[in-house]
Amino acid sequence: MYPSNFTIVDITEGAMVQVAARLHIEAFAGYLNARFGMGYITSFINWFVHEKEAVALAAVDSQQRIIGYAMGVPTEIGHRPYRELQGLAVRSLVQRPWLFFDKRLWQAARSRCRALVRKEKGGDHYDIPKPTMGLVGIGVDSLSRRQGIAGHLMEAFQERAKRQEMRSLSTWVYMDNTSARRLYERCGWQPHMDSLTERGSVRYYKLIV
C-alpha cells in the first residue's frame, strides 16, 4: 500500500515518457548521459517502456502528475539500450563537441570495454544469485522529496523484479552520491566495496530470493 497522496503505475505513453525524461535530467544533472540532451534521454526511457523484460515505473500524485520514476532491466540484456541507441548517442555528441573533452566520457568508454571483455570471458566476479534485475535510474521531483516516494519506488521495483523471477537486484552508485547510498542502504542494499571503479562508482546489490 502507498500513502494516499500518490500511487505507483507503469510508464505507458509519450507524455509520461517526456516527464520522466525531465525528472531523469534533473536527478542526474551533471552526469554524462543527462548531458546528451532531452532527445537522447527521451529515447532512452522510451526503450525501457517498450522492452517487455524491462521495468519502467512512475509515482503519480493525486492530480495525476508524475513526481518520481524508476526503471531497470535484467543485467543479462542491460547492454541493449546503449547498443541500440548508439547512433543517437553519437549524434548527440557531435551536436555537443565540448563533451569530447569531458574525462567521464573516456572513463565510461574504458569501463564499457572492460565490461564487454569480462562478459566474453564469462567473468562476473560479483557472486550474487542470478538472474539479476539492474536498477538503471531512479529520481523524484525536487519539490516532492522527503515524502518516502523514493523508498516506495524501490519497493515497487523489487516487487516487479520478484514477479519476473529475479533473484537479486543490482545498481552502480557514485561514492560521492551520499543521498543515493543512504537510500539504498535503508532499503537493504549492500555495497560490493571491491567493485570500486576508476570513475568512483561502486556496485550495490540486494538479494530477493
Side-chain angles (χ1 to χ4, degrees), residues 3-5 8 15 27 30 73 105 108 132 139 143 155 169 179 197 206 208:
S4 58
N5 61 335
I8 294 178
V73 67
L105 174 66
T132 301
L143 299 177
E155 289 176 15
L169 305 173
S179 60
T197 69
K206 182 177 183 181
I208 56 174

Side-chain angles (χ1 to χ4, degrees), residues 29-40:
Y31 288 83
L32 186 60
N33 82 332
R35 297 182 71 190
F36 282 6
M38 188 67 176
Y40 177 82

Side-chain angles (χ1 to χ4, degrees), residues 81-96:
Y82 304 98
R83 186 182 66 197
E84 294 178 15
L85 295 174
Q86 189 173 34
L88 182 57
V90 170
R91 287 197 297 275
S92 297
L93 281 170
V94 169
Q95 293 167 357
R96 298 165 177 82

Side-chain angles (χ1 to χ4, degrees), residues 124-197:
D124 182 357
H125 61 281
Y126 308 115
D127 186 21
I128 59 177
K130 294 181 176 56
T132 301
M133 179 67 77
L135 178 65
V136 174
I138 182 170
V140 175
D141 179 84
S142 58
L143 299 177
S144 303
R145 292 172 186 166
R146 301 185 185 280
Q147 298 180 38
I149 295 168
H152 284 290
L153 280 165
M154 295 281 278
E155 289 176 15
F157 183 82
Q158 176 174 320
E159 185 57 37
R160 187 62 59 84
K162 286 178 68 175
R163 222 184 291 172
Q164 292 182 213
E165 300 184 344
M166 299 289 125
R167 301 180 64 204
S168 58
L169 305 173
S170 175
T171 195
W172 289 89
V173 189
Y174 283 99
M175 288 290 289
D176 60 3
N177 192 345
T178 54
S179 60
R181 292 175 60 199
R182 282 197 297 267
L183 169 65
Y184 294 127
E185 289 168 14
R186 281 200 307 270
C187 293
W189 294 54
Q190 302 176 56
H192 261 302
M193 295 310 295
D194 63 347
S195 67
L196 184 64
T197 69

Side-chain angles (χ1 to χ4, degrees), residues 9-62:
V9 299
D10 289 312
I11 300 174
T12 57
E13 40 89 12
M16 295 180 77
V17 172
Q18 290 286 329
V19 176
R22 286 196 290 271
L23 286 176
H24 182 87
I25 288 176
E26 178 186 323
F28 291 90
Y31 288 83
L32 186 60
N33 82 332
R35 297 182 71 190
F36 282 6
M38 188 67 176
Y40 177 82
I41 296 302
T42 300
S43 296
F44 185 66
I45 293 177
N46 207 42
W47 185 94
F48 288 84
V49 171
H50 291 96
E51 168 55 50
K52 65 179 182 179
E53 295 184 69
V55 177
L57 302 172
V60 180
D61 70 9
S62 58

